[in-house]
Amino acid sequence: MKSSPRFTRRLLHPRYWITWIGLGILFLLVQLPFPLLEKLGTWMGRTSMRFLKRRIRITRRNLELCFPEMPADQLEKHIVKNFESLGMGLLETGMAWFWSDRRVKRWFTVEGLDNLKAAQEGGRGALIIGVHFMSLELGGRTMGLCQPMMAMYRPHNNKLMEWVQTKGRMRSNKAMINRRDLRGMVNALKQGEAVWFAPDQDYGPKGSVFAPLFAVPQAATTSGTWMIARMAKPAMLTVVLIRNDDGSGYKLVIQPELKDYPVADEQQAAAYMNQVIEHEIMRAPYQYLWLHRRFKTRPEGASSLY
C-alpha cells in the first residue's frame, strides 16, 4: 500500500530530463481555459492518427468484434471520435494531476453519491468497479473529491512518472495498492474502505476465465473481482466519469449497489461482470479505451483475433 510519495534528488538525474520537459509542457497546457483544452485535445487526438497506425488497426478490430452489425461508415466515424477522446484524455491526465480542487469541482457534477453512502452503511467496504474510459485519471480525482478512496494500480517503470502519477492521484485520495497485493486490498475492504478496481482489460491467461463480452463469446476476464468478493464480501458498485458532449464538463455517475452477484460460481461471476461493463461502456462508447488489445488472450488452440 502506497501513501503520498517523497521527492528524492535521484529524480533530477539526466535520464529523467526528457520526462521533466514533457511534464512541464503538460503542466503549462492545462493552465489554458477548459473550452480551449477541449479544442486542443480534439486536435491532438486527430493528429495522433497519423502516427498511431497500429493502434488504429487495433481499435477498428475491437469495434468490428464487439459490434459486427455496425455500418462501415459509422465504424470509421467512431474511430475518429475515439482518437479525439484519446487526445483529450492526455490533457485530462494533466488536469487530474495539476488542477486545484476548486477548478476541478467547477467542471463536474455528481449523480448517485447517495448510492455509495448507502452501500457503506455500517462501515462496510465498497469495491468500486471502474472501466477504462479516456478520462480515467480525472475520474479518480473527482471521485476522491466526493469521498477519498484507495485504488489498485500498476507501478510505473519510470521512477519519475511513478512519483508524479502517485502524487497526482493522492491529491484527493487515501492510498494506492499494487495490483498484485490482493491481501492488502482485501484488508482495506474489510476495514470499511472504498477501493477502486477495473476488471475490464485483458490481464492474460493467469487468473482469468473466458466469458462473453459484447459479440465476442470468449473474452479473457479476470477472476480478481470474484476472488475479492468471496474474501472481503464488500458492497459492489460502478463509478464512471463521462465527458459531456456539450462542452459543459463531466458527470460522475455512481450506480446503486450491484445485486445478485453470483459469488458461488466463477464462470457466472465473470459473465455477470462483463454485462455490467458493457452497460457502462455504452454510456459513452467513443470515450472508451478501444486501443487496448482486449481480446489478445485466446482459449488453447484458438487462433488470434488480431
Side-chain angles (χ1 to χ4, degrees):
M1 191 173 297
K2 191 167 188 176
S3 57
S4 186
R6 296 179 60 184
F7 180 84
T8 66
R9 294 180 62 184
R10 293 179 181 179
L11 299 179
L12 299 176
H13 191 280
R15 73 165 65 97
Y16 300 121
W17 286 359
I18 293 178
T19 306
W20 275 116
I21 292 171
L23 289 169
I25 293 172
L26 181 60
F27 173 82
L28 292 174
L29 286 176
V30 299
Q31 306 313 310
L32 293 170
F34 180 72
L36 286 181
L37 288 176
E38 283 202 309
K39 293 180 180 179
L40 178 60
T42 297
W43 176 82
M44 289 170 56
R46 280 179 170 266
T47 302
S48 73
M49 296 181 71
R50 302 177 184 177
F51 313 101
L52 302 177
K53 301 298 184 182
R54 178 172 177 268
R55 291 298 168 180
I56 292 175
R57 290 194 295 271
I58 292 171
T59 301
R60 179 179 291 109
R61 184 56 175 155
N62 281 336
L63 291 172
E64 290 172 345
L65 290 168
C66 291
F67 309 106
E69 297 181 359
M70 182 182 292
D73 60 337
Q74 183 179 342
L75 186 143
E76 295 304 318
K77 290 178 181 178
H78 196 125
I79 293 173
V80 173
K81 287 179 67 69
N82 196 228
F83 274 82
E84 290 176 349
S85 185
L86 172 66
M88 191 59 196
L90 173 61
L91 297 179
E92 287 162 348
T93 297
M95 291 157 58
W97 292 351
F98 303 130
W99 273 16
S100 66
D101 288 353
R102 180 179 179 182
R103 192 176 183 190
V104 174
K105 289 178 179 178
R106 177 184 174 187
W107 290 103
F108 81 95
T109 58
V110 185
E111 177 184 303
L113 183 57
D114 288 345
N115 292 327
L116 178 58
K117 295 184 181 300
Q120 290 199 275
E121 285 183 356
R124 189 182 183 194
L127 184 63
I128 307 300
I129 303 298
V131 298
H132 282 81
F133 282 114
M134 303 293 189
S135 57
L136 183 65
E137 288 287 341
L138 189 57
R141 178 76 187 280
T142 55
M143 182 64 220
L145 289 172
C146 296
Q147 176 181 316
M149 61 178 183
M150 301 180 180
M152 297 292 284
Y153 86 119
R154 182 181 69 83
H156 204 287
N157 295 329
N158 182 307
K159 298 299 182 184
L160 174 57
M161 286 301 299
E162 170 68 6
W163 178 75
V164 172
Q165 77 171 10
T166 304
K167 189 174 181 63
R169 291 169 177 175
M170 293 295 296
R171 291 192 67 170
S172 61
N173 286 292
K174 291 184 176 181
M176 307 300 296
I177 305 174
N178 191 307
R179 69 180 186 182
R180 298 181 184 276
D181 185 10
L182 180 61
R183 179 178 296 178
M185 185 176 191
V186 169
N187 288 339
L189 289 167
K190 286 184 175 180
Q191 293 169 14
E193 299 288 353
V195 183
W196 182 90
F197 178 69
D200 62 321
Q201 293 197 324
D202 186 335
Y203 296 112
K206 186 176 180 180
S208 297
V209 296
F210 291 95
L213 179 65
F214 289 111
V216 180
Q218 293 181 304
T221 305
T222 178
S223 296
T225 318
W226 176 73
M227 294 173 62
I228 294 165
R230 284 169 58 90
M231 297 170 69
K233 298 178 174 58
M236 299 171 64
L237 60 163
T238 61
V239 176
V240 294
L241 184 74
I242 302 300
R243 188 184 312 116
N244 299 329
D245 290 329
D246 59 3
S248 60
Y250 305 83
K251 179 167 69 174
L252 186 71
V253 182
I254 306 172
Q255 288 286 79
E257 180 181 349
L258 297 175
K259 300 296 184 181
D260 303 320
Y261 180 75
V263 71
D265 189 292
E266 181 179 11
Q267 190 72 45
Q268 290 182 17
Y272 176 101
M273 188 52 59
N274 281 352
Q275 289 180 354
V276 171
I277 290 167
E278 288 177 13
H279 176 78
E280 297 304 320
I281 290 174
M282 293 309 296
R283 292 182 185 276
Y286 67 90
Q287 296 181 28
Y288 186 66
L289 188 67
W290 294 109
L291 292 75
H292 167 66
R293 293 176 69 225
R294 178 60 185 86
F295 309 107
K296 62 185 177 183
T297 300
R298 303 292 295 138
E300 185 175 354
S303 58
S304 172
L305 294 176
Y306 297 95

